[in-house]
C-alpha cells in the first residue's frame, strides 16, 4: 500500500490541525480580514488551510467573532483601575477608541454582538469598584462605564460613516461629510463656526467635548468627601450640593 493509502489523505500530510494553528491564530486572521466583514473561506485562505480546518478551533462564524473580540481586547492597552476617577474614564475611552481604530469594524460588531469576554467583565468590574470608591453609587458607576463605552462606539461608527459616498438631493455623488457640512452651512443658526471647523468632521470630531460634558455632570453626583479624598484632586473640594443650604430666619 502506498503512502496515500496509509494516511487516507494527501501524500506527506498527516491528519489533524496544522502544527502552528491555534484558536488565537484563527481569530487574528479574522481581525486581519475585518471583524465585521470576514468570511470563513477568506480566513481559511489567509491561513493557507482548508475551510473545514477552521472548525477544529471554532464552532461557527459567530464563535469566531467572539474569539476575535477576545483577542482584540487582549491586544488593547487598558488603563489601571487605581487612577483618579476622571482619568480612569478618560483612559478607558481612549483605549476603546484606539481598539476601534486598530481593528476596523470592531465598533459595529460590539454594538450588535452580545459578547462580553470574561477578561473585560473582570476589568470593567474593577473600574466600577474604583468609581464607587470615588464616591459614585453602584448604579451610577455601572451606568458611567456603560455610557462611556457606548459613546465611543457610536461616535467611532458615526465618524467613519462620514466617508461614505451617497447621492445628494440632486443625485450627485458626494460624501456624507460634505452633505452634512453643506446642510449646516445653509441654515440660519449661531453655530456656523463650529460646523465649519475641520476638526468637527475628522478624527474624533466632537467626541472629546461630549465626554468632557458628561464627566463634568458626573462630578456633581459624587458623594461628598474630604478635600483630597477619593474622586477629588489634592487640595480641592467636591462639587457643591445641588440643594442650597438652609438659611435661618432672622429673629423677629
Amino acid at each position: 500500500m502506498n503512502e496515500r493509502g496509509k494516511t487516507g489523505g494527501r501524500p506527506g500530510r498527516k491528519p489533524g490541525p496544522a502544527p502552528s494553528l491555534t484558536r488565537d491564530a484563527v481569530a487574528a486572521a479574522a481581525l486581519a480580514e475585518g471583524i465585521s466583514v470576514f468570511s470563513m473561506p477568506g480566513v481559511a485562505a489567509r491561513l493557507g488551510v482548508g475551510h473545514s480546518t477552521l472548525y477544529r478551533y471554532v464552532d461557527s462564524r459567530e464563535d469566531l467573532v467572539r474569539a476575535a473580540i477576545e483577542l482584540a481586547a487582549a491586544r488593547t492597552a487598558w488603563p489601571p483601575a487605581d487612577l483618579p476617577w476622571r482619568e480612569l474614564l478618560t483612559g478607558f475611552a481612549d483605549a476603546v477608541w484606539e481598539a476601534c481604530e486598530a481593528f476596523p469594524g470592531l465598533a459595529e460588531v460590539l454594538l450588535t454582538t452580545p459578547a462580553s469576554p470574561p477578561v473585560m467583565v473582570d476589568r470593567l468590574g474593577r473600574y466600577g469598584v474604583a468609581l464607587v470608591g470615588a464616591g459614585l453609587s453602584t448604579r451610577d458607576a455601572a451606568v458611567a462605564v456603560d455610557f462611556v463605552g457606548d459613546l465611543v462606539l457610536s461616535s467611532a461608527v458615526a465618524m467613519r460613516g462620514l466617508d461614505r459616498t451617497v447621492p445628494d438631493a440632486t443625485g450627485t455623488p458626494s460624501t456624507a461629510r460634505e452633505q452634512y457640512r453643506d446642510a449646516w452651512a445653509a441654515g440660519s443658526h449661531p453655530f456656523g463656526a463650529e460646523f465649519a471647523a475641520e476638526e468637527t468632521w475628522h478624527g474624533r470630531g466632537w467626541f472629546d467635548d461630549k465626554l468632557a460634558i458628561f464627566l463634568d455632570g458626573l462630578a456633581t453626583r459624587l458623594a461628598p468627601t474630604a478635600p483630597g479624598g477619593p474622586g477629588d484632586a489634592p487640595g480641592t473640594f467636591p462639587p457643591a450640593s445641588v440643594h442650597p443650604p438652609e438659611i435661618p430666619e432672622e429673629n423677629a
Side-chain angles (χ1 to χ4, degrees):
M1 185 180 294
N2 60 24
E3 288 298 313
R4 183 180 180 88
K6 290 180 181 178
T7 62
R10 289 175 291 177
R13 179 75 177 272
K14 294 182 179 180
S20 62
L21 203 56
T22 63
R23 181 178 171 89
D24 275 357
V26 176
L31 288 174
E33 288 284 301
I35 189 172
S36 63
V37 298
F38 76 83
S39 66
M40 298 299 275
V43 170
R46 177 175 286 271
L47 293 169
V49 300
H51 182 189
S52 61
T53 300
L54 299 181
Y55 294 98
R56 297 171 183 169
Y57 305 93
V58 296
D59 296 330
S60 62
R61 186 183 187 280
E62 291 71 25
D63 186 34
L64 181 49
V65 168
R66 289 190 290 270
I69 291 173
E70 291 174 1
L71 184 60
R75 289 183 173 181
T76 300
W78 302 98
D82 59 355
L83 292 174
W85 72 269
R86 190 173 186 120
E87 291 179 34
L88 174 59
L89 288 174
T90 302
F92 170 55
D94 289 341
V96 177
W97 192 285
E98 289 167 9
C100 292
E101 288 191 333
F103 308 109
L106 180 61
E108 290 85 347
V109 168
L110 289 176
L111 285 171
T112 57
T113 303
S116 298
V119 64
M120 286 307 301
V121 171
D122 178 66
R123 182 178 299 281
L124 297 183
R126 283 185 275 125
Y127 288 173
V129 170
L131 293 174
V132 170
L136 290 177
S137 69
T138 302
R139 184 176 182 84
D140 282 356
V143 170
V145 173
D146 184 65
F147 179 88
V148 171
D150 284 350
L151 180 61
V152 175
L153 299 179
S154 59
S155 296
V157 170
M159 293 306 296
R160 189 157 43 251
L162 294 177
D163 293 323
R164 291 180 298 112
T165 298
V166 292
D168 62 16
T170 66
T172 304
S174 62
T175 66
R177 176 182 294 105
E178 293 169 329
Q179 294 188 40
Y180 279 127
R181 180 183 289 168
D182 291 347
W184 281 97
S188 177
H189 52 76
F191 309 120
E194 284 75 15
F195 282 98
E198 281 299 309
E199 59 267 24
T200 298
W201 306 102
H202 297 278
R204 289 163 57 139
W206 285 351
F207 169 76
D208 292 297
D209 299 276
K210 294 175 182 178
L211 179 61
I213 290 171
F214 168 70
L215 295 179
D216 287 346
L218 187 63
T220 68
R221 298 179 73 101
L222 294 173
T225 58
D232 299 308
T236 63
F237 288 86
S241 169
V242 294
H243 302 291
E246 294 183 5
I247 301 175
E249 296 181 2
E250 295 183 0
N251 294 328

